[in-house]
Amino acid sequence: MRVRSVCLAMVMGLVGCGRGTRDGRVHITYWEKWTGFEADAMQRVVDRFNASQTGITVHFMSISGIGRKLLMATAGGNPPDVAGIWSSSLPTYAEHGALVGLDEYCRRAGIGAEDYVPIVWRICQYEGRTWGLPSTPGSTALIWNKEMFRRAGLDPERPPRTIEELDEYAARLTRYDERSNLVHLGFLPTEPGWWNFAWIYYFGGQVWDGTNRILYDTPAGLAMFRWIASYTERYGLNALQQFSAGFGNFASPQNAFLAGKVAMVLQGVWMHNFIEKYAPGLEWGAAPFPAVDGVDPPVVYTEADVLVIPRGAKHADAAFEFIRFVQRPEVMEELCLGQLKASPLRRVSAGFFARHPHPYLGVFYQTMWSRRAFSTPALPIHDEVVREVNIAVDLVRLGQVSPEAAVQQVQRRAQRALDRLLRQRARRREGVGRLSCESSEVGQR
Amino acid sequence: MTGRTWRKVRNGLLFTLPWTVGLLGFIVYPVVASVYHSFCDYSVLRPAVWIGLGNYVDLLQDEVFWIALWNTVVFAVVALPLGIVTAIGLALLLNTKVRGVVVYRTIFFIPSLVPMVTLAMLWMWIFNGRYGILNYVLNGVMRWLHLPWEAPGWLLDPHWAKPALILMGLWGCGHAVVIFLAGLQDIPETLYEAAEIDGANRWQKTWHVTLPMLSPVIYFNLIMGIIGTFQVFAVPYIMTGGGPGRATLFYTMAIFQFAFEDLRMGYASAMAVILFLIIVGLTWLATRVSRGHVHYGGL
């Protein structure tokens, strides 16, 4: 008898994953990629939301590898009600019909472009529709080590303002020991190399024309790859490889910038936290990352964390209520303060900057407003473009391929992916080949 | 059918049910579904659209497919014979009657117990160009011999990344060694005695007795090796992610990229089907070629 009831309880436990609503509230799940203090900050917002009303309870869950899990959960018809994704994956999800459109919700809630820093609002759009609303933005800047500037005889308060100047600074900041091994570098385009695809913007170009053409085979694309090659030529491949083999993990004191091995990097607003944690004494500055001479105003790479409602969510309305709550100025500011980031909102209270511990928050917030602020292009094949650029950069950096060949390779591969996407779209629009594939109805449920 | 046999059949079926359900649900269905989807444009998120041979035609024109296939073939062609020869060599050594041979056997087997991910992390440090122990030793030797060369950057160098992975693959040959050892010990002593009476030396005994008697085991290891090398994934995925460039992008890694990074399930399925055909083909070939060279129990 006891065995049977234990079995029953186990089966109930397995089956009964759905949350009961005995308390009369709608229970919704919220998957988020953050861990640590960023998750804590969001948890506080969730607690505040749950306490602020009686209709909805949000269950916050920190999920590792959220991209793939969300994908599978959505395809399987059992997604969370709210998910926090990176803005760079929003176009892919939207293109594949995996998100609930938010236009109608936003209209009813009176939320619109006028509430946000323009680039942040653009990030939430795909093909003219709104698919998510921001949680916190992450803009980037040139971050430099003032002490290394001083030792090289440079003014620590005056960062380079053009790429040409950056290269000149880099040369002056580089040191060799008596056996001509590198001691430290001024700058290295591939350290940490997270956004190789983005360099083209700093040379006045862009990834694609917005309709049907990839634009790496342009003067800007070529200039970008030549620039990367020039750093290998300057330092020497062997010396560089030996030297960079000693770079540790990003989130560690052995991080090349934190360890004083590289004097300047392109990094995000979050770098402050890592400096505080792993190199507390480091004297640093932040300024808009320089672009090639003549490109003005500042080119600023910006991403954002975005809250979306996956298609198939059981409580989309309740989910939007929560997303809407996060957009309230006072809530948003609390979240951004907790995560030590700038605000995505157009209007920021006077106290926000005063209370914020980030010493260069103004730089990161102001530069997001630049007309040349850009984010991941709204391309569902962006991951493929990024991969092609990364591979080409790798080969150029290693001297395996000339910049000219690299440009051609990226252009060919990325254009091929774009053409495929356009073909898929055309096929969908025309409904050609609609021979149903019944085993894959999952997607539609 | 009498009541009793029926009950037996029923019970038998019931006992095998968990396995049958698992087989049908987790192996048969996915295999059939992936063959089906290989003819579809399928992103997981939208219903699949039948495109006939479209994926296959695209694949043949996709340089990444050919690069991945080439990398895998090179890996297999070098790693497989190297692994088998090393394992046989070790097994022969560990089969000699010396003191403490059990200890040696254990020592050679232990590395293959290290979990794959740990192994990958460990070797990343060994291969590290600046701080790795391998280059420390190599550079030391070169300096000592006054040679002008410097040890390569291994995983960071497109020319050395594949050889590095092949070399470290030998680390896990302990499993094969154990199987070869078991095979060696199965060889009847009488055959060696007969050979000795005929005046065979050590080398002749190995060549004419040991290897033919071991051939079924070699054959088994060869087939398993073909399957294993064509499916190599975890270690390079962790250690190089396919880089530098695409120097270590192996077949299954390309499948993974297409399926889970690019959401091209149909395309990835087509690639998986081709892999299946390649493995079937190679296995058939191995069976064909080894016919007449594999001797079962001296029959």
Side-chain angles (χ1 to χ4, degrees):
Chain A
M1 192 59 215
R2 191 180 295 163
V3 174
R4 193 175 291 180
S5 51
V6 168
C7 288
L8 193 70
M10 279 169 68
V11 171
M12 297 277 285
L14 283 174
V15 178
C17 303
R19 296 186 180 279
T21 50
R22 239 178 297 160
D23 56 1
R25 295 168 76 113
V26 177
H27 290 254
I28 64 173
T29 46
Y30 165 28
W31 288 7
E32 187 46 89
K33 56 200 162 310
W34 295 315
T35 54
F37 77 97
E38 290 176 322
D40 295 342
M42 194 42 142
Q43 182 68 58
R44 285 197 292 278
V45 170
V46 168
D47 293 342
R48 192 167 157 188
F49 174 74
N50 288 342
S52 73
Q53 38 75 48
T54 54
I56 305 164
T57 303
V58 175
H59 297 271
F60 176 79
M61 272 193 267
S62 191
I63 305 272
S64 65
I66 192 166
R68 224 160 279 150
K69 285 176 190 156
L70 183 64
L71 177 73
M72 288 304 146
T74 309
N78 191 21
D81 299 288
V82 182
I85 62 174
W86 278 287
S87 49
S88 56
S89 47
L90 185 133
T92 312
Y93 279 101
E95 170 73 19
H96 290 284
L99 301 180
V100 172
L102 300 185
D103 294 292
E104 189 51 31
Y105 283 119
C106 286
R107 201 183 51 75
R108 266 187 273 152
I111 292 175
E114 64 285 357
D115 298 315
Y116 298 95
V117 177
I119 182 72
V120 175
W121 181 252
R122 271 210 306 278
I123 281 173
C124 299
Q125 312 288 307
Y126 177 66
E127 297 279 293
R129 294 185 62 191
T130 309
W131 299 97
L133 288 176
S135 43
T136 54
S139 51
T140 62
L142 170 78
I143 292 181
W144 77 94
N145 183 325
K146 287 187 178 172
E147 178 53 32
M148 287 171 83
F149 267 52
R150 221 172 274 129
R151 270 187 278 140
L154 292 164
D155 177 358
E157 302 305 328
R158 193 204 175 281
R161 288 174 191 157
T162 60
I163 290 252
E164 293 80 359
E165 228 174 59
L166 175 86
D167 294 345
E168 202 187 299
Y169 274 48
R172 290 184 60 181
L173 282 158
T174 300
R175 285 274 170 285
Y176 295 86
D177 66 10
E178 63 286 353
R179 283 192 301 172
S180 67
N181 289 319
L182 282 163
V183 179
H184 54 73
L185 293 179
F187 179 76
L188 191 60
T190 47
E191 173 50 36
W194 289 349
W195 309 296
N196 287 326
F197 84 92
W199 290 126
I200 192 168
Y201 291 88
Y202 295 89
F203 287 87
Q206 52 185 352
V207 169
W208 74 313
D209 67 356
T211 52
N212 61 8
R213 223 182 101 68
I214 298 287
L215 296 176
Y216 275 98
D217 65 344
T218 52
L222 187 58
M224 155 191 159
F225 278 103
R226 283 195 175 140
W227 180 62
I228 286 162
S230 76
Y231 273 83
T232 304
E233 284 156 22
R234 173 186 308 189
Y235 299 131
L237 178 60
N238 263 343
L240 202 53
Q241 269 191 326
Q242 289 286 324
F243 184 66
S244 49
F247 293 174
N249 283 341
F250 178 78
S252 78
Q254 287 80 41
N255 170 318
F257 178 76
L258 300 181
K261 287 182 173 165
V262 175
M264 301 180 283
V265 283
L266 170 67
Q267 264 302 345
V269 60
W270 51 80
M271 201 58 185
H272 165 64
N273 311 330
F274 291 97
I275 293 171
E276 292 281 289
K277 190 164 175 188
Y278 297 113
L282 190 86
E283 216 189 317
W284 62 291
F289 195 90
V292 80
D293 199 12
V295 172
D296 199 52
V299 178
V300 180
Y301 177 49
T302 300
E303 289 294 346
D305 292 301
V306 186
L307 295 172
V308 297
I309 306 177
R311 188 194 55 200
K314 311 242 169 358
H315 307 288
D317 293 351
F320 188 77
E321 276 313 304
F322 171 67
I323 295 177
R324 184 185 172 183
F325 179 80
V326 179
Q327 308 306 311
R328 285 195 199 169
E330 72 280 10
V331 177
M332 185 59 90
E333 286 188 7
E334 182 197 306
L335 177 66
C336 294
L337 265 171
Q339 295 200 350
L340 304 169
K341 290 184 188 148
S343 169
L345 298 178
R346 193 174 278 251
R347 275 169 293 275
V348 180
S349 76
F352 180 67
F353 286 103
R355 276 160 64 210
H356 208 297
H358 196 303
Y360 297 100
L361 193 75
V363 173
F364 287 95
Y365 182 73
Q366 292 306 329
T367 52
M368 275 200 297
W369 286 83
S370 165
R371 200 166 37 77
R372 283 188 180 270
F374 71 99
S375 69
T376 307
L379 261 179
I381 52 146
H382 177 67
D383 283 355
E384 286 176 68
V385 176
V386 166
R387 189 190 308 139
E388 291 307 328
V389 175
N390 283 343
I391 286 171
V393 164
D394 227 11
L395 294 174
V396 165
R397 179 179 67 86
L398 294 167
Q400 298 284 316
V401 154
S402 70
E404 289 76 12
V407 161
Q408 291 312 319
Q409 185 181 323
V410 170
Q411 181 68 24
R412 192 176 66 245
R413 299 281 317 159
Q415 186 66 46
R416 190 183 147 96
L418 179 58
D419 291 345
R420 191 188 70 237
L421 174 79
L422 297 175
R423 269 201 312 277
Q424 275 172 340
R425 266 193 206 158
R427 201 158 47 214
R428 257 209 312 278
R429 224 170 279 139
E430 292 160 19
V432 174
R434 277 263 162 194
L435 288 169
S436 73
C437 292
E438 56 278 34
S439 66
S440 52
E441 292 290 280
V442 225
Q444 232 170 10
R445 251 191 286 152
Chain B
M1 209 185 280
T2 66
R4 208 164 139 199
T5 46
W6 159 240
R7 257 205 311 283
K8 275 192 171 169
V9 168
R10 189 200 59 190
N11 286 349
L13 286 176
L14 271 177
F15 273 113
T16 52
L17 190 65
W19 182 84
T20 319
V21 169
L23 179 80
L24 290 177
F26 296 114
I27 296 183
V28 175
Y29 169 73
V31 168
V32 172
S34 74
V35 171
Y36 175 77
H37 283 129
S38 74
F39 298 103
C40 294
D41 181 5
Y42 182 42
S43 72
V44 189
L45 292 164
R46 281 186 190 281
V49 178
W50 183 271
I51 53 167
L53 287 172
N55 287 328
Y56 292 92
V57 174
D58 269 5
L59 266 179
L60 297 184
Q61 296 165 359
D62 188 341
E63 62 203 276
V64 174
F65 168 77
W66 292 108
I67 291 171
L69 185 61
W70 171 248
N71 285 340
T72 312
V73 168
V74 169
F75 182 76
V77 165
V78 181
L80 195 56
L82 193 66
I84 289 182
V85 170
T86 312
I88 293 179
L90 279 174
L92 286 171
L93 287 176
L94 293 174
N95 200 34
T96 49
K97 294 182 184 67
V98 292
R99 235 154 61 130
V101 75
V102 184
V103 177
Y104 296 125
R105 284 179 190 168
T106 315
I107 288 172
F108 279 99
F109 186 66
I110 281 177
S112 53
L113 293 176
V114 179
M116 208 98 88
V117 177
T118 320
L119 190 71
M121 302 305 285
L122 180 71
W123 278 88
M124 277 167 78
W125 276 108
I126 294 178
F127 282 131
N128 185 303
R130 190 169 212 190
Y131 301 117
I133 187 161
L134 183 61
N135 276 8
Y136 178 77
V137 172
L138 278 181
N139 284 332
V141 168
M142 301 235 220
R143 265 197 300 276
W144 186 59
L145 294 173
H146 297 289
L147 293 174
W149 304 302
E150 215 169 297
W154 296 107
L155 299 176
L156 299 177
D157 186 328
H159 303 294
W160 285 98
K162 246 194 311 270
L165 291 176
I166 291 171
L167 270 183
M168 74 165 277
L170 293 178
W171 169 274
C173 72
H175 281 292
V177 171
V178 169
I179 298 173
F180 281 126
L181 257 179
L184 284 174
Q185 287 173 358
D186 247 10
I187 301 173
E189 202 60 31
T190 48
L191 293 179
Y192 290 112
E193 285 164 8
E196 266 164 40
I197 291 167
D198 286 343
N201 60 25
R202 214 187 160 113
W203 168 245
Q204 286 169 321
K205 277 196 285 184
T206 306
W207 191 250
H208 294 287
V209 179
T210 312
L211 288 180
M213 292 304 289
L214 204 57
S215 56
V217 184
I218 297 175
Y219 171 70
F220 170 81
N221 272 329
L222 179 71
I223 302 292
M224 297 319 276
I226 289 173
I227 296 172
T229 45
F230 268 82
Q231 294 186 345
V232 59
F233 179 81
V235 168
Y237 182 75
I238 296 165
M239 291 178 70
T240 62
R246 284 193 168 97
T248 58
L249 180 76
F250 294 108
Y251 201 94
T252 45
M253 291 165 77
I255 293 182
F256 182 82
Q257 249 173 25
F258 288 135
F260 295 99
E261 289 173 16
D262 305 348
L263 300 186
R264 302 172 70 190
M265 292 287 169
Y267 199 65
S269 295
M271 215 171 150
V273 169
I274 293 177
L275 177 63
F276 173 72
L277 295 177
I278 290 174
I279 291 180
V280 168
L282 285 175
T283 310
W284 174 80
L285 194 71
T287 314
R288 199 55 208 276
V289 170
S290 59
R291 201 178 287 165
H293 299 290
V294 177
H295 308 274
Y296 288 97
L299 294 172

